[in-house]
Amino acid sequence: MTRISKAVWFVTILLCKFLILYICLQEDRPNFATAILSSYTIDSDSYIAPIESFLKNGFYSGFRMPGYGGIYFLFRIFCEQTMAINLLVIFQVLMDAIAVILLALTLESIAKKRLAFYLVILLYGIGITASTFNNWIMTESLSTSFLIIGFCF
């Protein structure tokens, strides 16, 4: 597969992921603060609040490991909370698209068949099972993406 075709597939998957994100945002779900791209659960605050505490008081006051919050922190040091949460969602979508392409290329390489690539794109890339978590402020999306990316390297 050429670099151009890989780039075309990546852009196609990324557009599909953002389309799925748009569809998910049409559902009536609570969003986090005024961030328009996110949805949250009871757990969501336990990832964000310790980072906000650290920025305000210099003390990490949370019971969760700071991995997911650390990614939020990188966005939060450059912009206000709402924008940082929106950027976190965009980052999750981007990592999901990268994971799909890497998984498809890896399985094509293992199977030695182009059909494997297309099946991964169809079943995982465009499938909504994992993609629906991209706008949630929780670890499901990034954990899955990072596991796939790690597997591929």
Side-chain angles (χ1 to χ4, degrees):
M1 181 176 287
T2 67
R3 277 190 157 174
I4 292 174
S5 63
K6 288 178 188 175
V8 168
W9 275 109
F10 175 72
V11 170
T12 303
I13 292 299
L14 192 58
L15 290 174
C16 287
K17 294 292 180 181
F18 276 112
L19 177 63
I20 293 168
L21 174 66
Y22 175 77
I23 292 167
C24 289
L25 290 173
Q26 302 310 307
E27 295 180 28
D28 188 25
R29 295 179 178 173
N31 67 357
F32 199 94
T34 56
I36 59 171
L37 297 180
S38 69
S39 295
Y40 72 93
T41 66
I42 291 173
D43 288 347
S44 298
D45 194 49
S46 65
Y47 296 109
I48 303 301
I51 300 302
E52 292 298 325
S53 171
F54 180 74
L55 290 169
K56 185 177 180 183
N57 307 324
F59 181 71
Y60 185 87
S61 60
F63 64 90
R64 295 205 182 263
M65 295 293 289
Y68 185 77
I71 295 170
Y72 167 72
F73 176 76
L74 295 175
F75 295 120
R76 184 64 176 88
I77 57 176
F78 295 109
C79 50
E80 48 88 27
Q81 183 180 25
T82 301
M83 180 59 76
I85 290 171
N86 286 331
L87 288 172
L88 180 61
V89 170
I90 292 169
F91 181 72
Q92 290 181 167
V93 172
L94 180 64
M95 290 297 104
D96 190 16
I98 289 170
V100 168
I101 292 298
L102 288 175
L103 183 62
L105 290 170
T106 301
L107 289 180
E108 178 187 24
S109 173
I110 291 169
K112 306 276 191 258
K113 296 193 185 271
R114 183 64 128 180
L115 178 63
F117 179 86
Y118 294 122
L119 284 174
V120 171
I121 296 293
L122 180 66
L123 298 175
Y124 185 73
I126 303 174
I128 61 169
T129 306
S131 298
T132 57
F133 287 102
N134 285 336
N135 67 315
W136 288 91
I137 303 302
M138 46 199 269
T139 59
E140 274 71 357
S141 175
L142 278 182
S143 296
T144 305
S145 297
F146 286 163
L147 280 170
I148 292 169
I149 292 167
F151 168 75
C152 294
F153 287 104

